Amino acid sequence: MGDTGEIDVARRAMNKAMLRILPFLLLAYIMAYIDRVNVSFAALQMNVDLGFSATVYGFGGGLFYIGYALFEIPSGAMASRFGPRQWLARIMITWGLLAVGMIFIRSAQQFYLMRFLLGAAEAGFFPGIVYYLSHWFPKAYRGRAVSRIYIAPALAGVVMGATAAPLLGLDGLGGWRGWQWVFLAQGLPAVLMGLAILRFLPDRPDEVDWLEPDEKAWIADVLARDAALIGHADRHDLLAVLANPTVWLLGCTGFLLNGAMNGFVLSAPAILAANGGLDTKTIGWLVSLGGFNGAIVILLAGWYSDRTGDRLRYAAAFGAIAGLGLLLIGLAPSPGAVVAGYLMQTAVSFAAGGLVIASWPDALPVRQLAMGSGAINTLWQLGSFGSPYAFGAVRDTTGSYHAGLLGSAGLALVYAGYVLFVRARIRRMQNR
């Protein structure tokens, strides 16, 4: 096949795959992220109703990530065994039911338990998506594919910001508080989406009738060539995955990034109210705007990183910008500066992580990708646990979010430098 013919086949195959597959996964991940962090809006009423201090809330918010981390590697192994489509559907149905179950919490202990179970149920979801995409999209298209999924957290911010205030405004309807309506209305759609994935999402390119034979052959051929460039893993069991230094290098990037960002994410509405003096409706629209900006940056970053092949350099730059945004919020002397810092942070923070995630299939042998992604994400989630708890504890001790914001800003700058180090190490290992 000539170059022109191959380019035409590639364009047709990738356009079809992106149109048929990515909308399902994008919508699913939006629901996942909403159910993970909608507690940040619910807390505006829930913490008062149930008498939760900032430390109690932060500890419970962080327990989600402990459950996620403990079950991440086993969940990755199950995705490899049963197939990513079936496992993604199982995850969605389970976590959707648990997300709805949050309406019944009445004590700190129940809050802790439900957040832990929600994390355990969602474990393996995003690594499962990355593993699934590795069966469809070659390296030259993977940044765009992952970025078009990873805009989900940003778009979830748009949805949450637009809907949280009206849902909180249902306070008293049916005898329920507004925070209970938040959990109900944002949890049920995940169950329905899990059933839709099970019914409509295909497993592999060779199983569908909407790809032509030459398109299927092109995908298989290019995926094989990409795998050959990374190298073959004779073993793909847990010990072999943990012995791969690339897993640890990539895992520590997320440990730092999530440690820098998650305390802020789970407390953002409260921070904007305290530091910026904003009301709930204004906060909602600001969160929506931040999510929209973040989605645009992620798409542009994914497209550009595919053209250059250098994802980690830009991930480092975005991490540094996010750190400067957090620094501005912590030091801001005026509400306008707080808003500017928030928009700065939300514009780039998801792209900082998304570009690293897009590099996982570039750096790991395909036989280690499912379990390796789970191992990497375990370290990411461990970083997520400590940050909300530390944020809450510092808030209760000092009476403000100032120290937490400055600490998060510093950690984001450390992340930026570390990603450049990882970039250099991976390049040396692949050029041996």
Side-chain angles (χ1 to χ4, degrees):
M1 183 184 297
D3 290 342
T4 303
E6 183 171 354
I7 291 172
D8 178 64
V9 172
R11 179 184 56 79
R12 286 189 282 111
M14 292 295 93
N15 285 344
K16 289 179 181 179
M18 288 187 180
L19 181 63
R20 298 272 188 159
I21 291 170
L22 297 189
F24 270 100
L25 298 178
L26 172 62
L27 186 55
Y29 195 33
I30 289 173
M31 293 177 184
Y33 199 80
I34 287 175
D35 289 340
R36 182 187 303 185
V37 302
N38 60 5
V39 69
S40 64
F41 274 99
L44 295 174
Q45 289 182 354
M46 180 185 71
N47 288 357
V48 175
D49 285 357
L50 304 182
F52 292 169
S53 67
T55 303
V56 167
Y57 169 71
F59 183 70
L63 276 175
F64 171 95
Y65 302 99
I66 293 296
Y68 202 125
L70 287 175
F71 290 92
E72 185 75 318
I73 293 177
S75 187
M78 293 299 101
S80 180
R81 178 177 178 181
F82 294 109
R85 177 180 63 89
Q86 293 88 341
W87 198 246
L88 290 173
R90 193 286 305 163
I91 289 173
M92 289 206 69
I93 294 168
T94 307
W95 101 56
L97 293 173
L98 286 167
V100 172
M102 288 287 290
I103 67 177
F104 299 111
I105 61 172
R106 295 294 182 271
S107 67
Q109 290 73 24
Q110 292 171 356
F111 178 52
Y112 296 158
L113 177 63
M114 290 301 292
R115 286 292 292 179
F116 176 85
L117 292 177
L118 189 63
E122 194 185 323
F125 182 70
F126 192 73
I129 288 179
V130 174
Y131 179 52
Y132 179 83
L133 293 177
S134 72
H135 292 107
W136 289 85
F137 296 97
K139 179 180 178 179
Y141 295 86
R142 201 171 289 137
R144 275 164 283 183
V146 172
S147 69
R148 291 172 188 181
I149 300 299
Y150 205 69
I151 64 171
L155 293 180
V158 176
V159 175
M160 278 195 304
T163 62
L167 288 171
L168 289 172
L170 296 178
D171 193 37
L173 180 65
W176 285 1
R177 295 283 280 143
W179 60 267
Q180 292 174 305
W181 282 108
V182 169
F183 289 132
L184 178 67
Q186 295 179 348
L188 280 178
V191 178
L192 301 177
M193 192 64 201
L195 296 173
I197 283 180
L198 197 59
R199 173 65 179 83
F200 297 110
L201 193 67
D203 280 313
R204 294 176 180 271
D206 58 5
E207 298 177 0
V208 300
D209 57 9
W210 42 263
L211 286 174
E212 299 297 328
D214 59 343
E215 295 164 355
K216 296 178 183 180
W218 178 85
I219 292 174
D221 180 59
V222 179
L223 289 177
R225 277 185 269 162
D226 287 347
L229 290 175
I230 299 172
H232 176 70
D234 294 325
R235 295 174 54 206
H236 57 282
D237 56 89
L238 178 58
L239 292 179
V241 167
L242 295 180
N244 186 340
T246 303
V247 168
W248 293 95
L249 288 171
L250 294 173
C252 288
T253 62
F255 182 88
L256 291 171
L257 181 64
N258 284 1
M261 301 301 170
N262 266 53
F264 173 75
V265 168
L266 289 181
S267 298
I271 292 171
L272 291 172
N275 289 31
L278 306 178
D279 59 35
T280 301
K281 184 176 180 180
T282 304
I283 291 170
W285 287 114
L286 183 60
V287 170
S288 289
L289 178 60
F292 177 79
N293 292 339
I296 297 298
V297 172
I298 291 170
L299 289 174
L300 292 175
W303 171 80
Y304 192 69
S305 74
D306 276 348
R307 290 176 63 88
T308 65
D310 193 350
R311 310 190 203 283
L312 296 182
R313 174 184 291 179
Y314 304 111
F318 287 141
I321 295 170
L324 294 176
L326 291 170
L327 189 65
L328 182 58
I329 298 171
L331 299 177
S334 69
V338 170
V339 171
Y342 177 79
L343 292 176
M344 187 178 186
Q345 189 270 346
T346 52
V348 298
S349 59
F350 292 119
L355 289 176
V356 176
I357 290 168
S359 75
W360 295 356
D362 300 348
L364 292 175
V366 67
R367 294 185 70 201
Q368 290 187 355
L369 185 56
M371 195 173 294
S373 296
I376 293 168
N377 211 31
T378 296
L379 292 172
W380 285 49
Q381 303 314 317
L382 289 176
S384 298
F385 165 70
S387 181
Y389 177 63
F391 239 78
V394 169
R395 169 68 177 81
D396 282 340
T397 301
T398 66
S400 77
Y401 292 105
H402 178 77
L405 287 164
L406 296 185
S408 292
L411 199 57
L413 296 176
V414 171
Y415 162 82
Y418 178 73
V419 169
L420 293 178
F421 165 76
V422 171
R423 172 179 175 268
R425 282 291 304 273
I426 290 177
R427 287 193 165 197
R428 282 200 299 269
M429 287 188 291
Q430 291 187 341
N431 290 332
R432 286 176 181 171

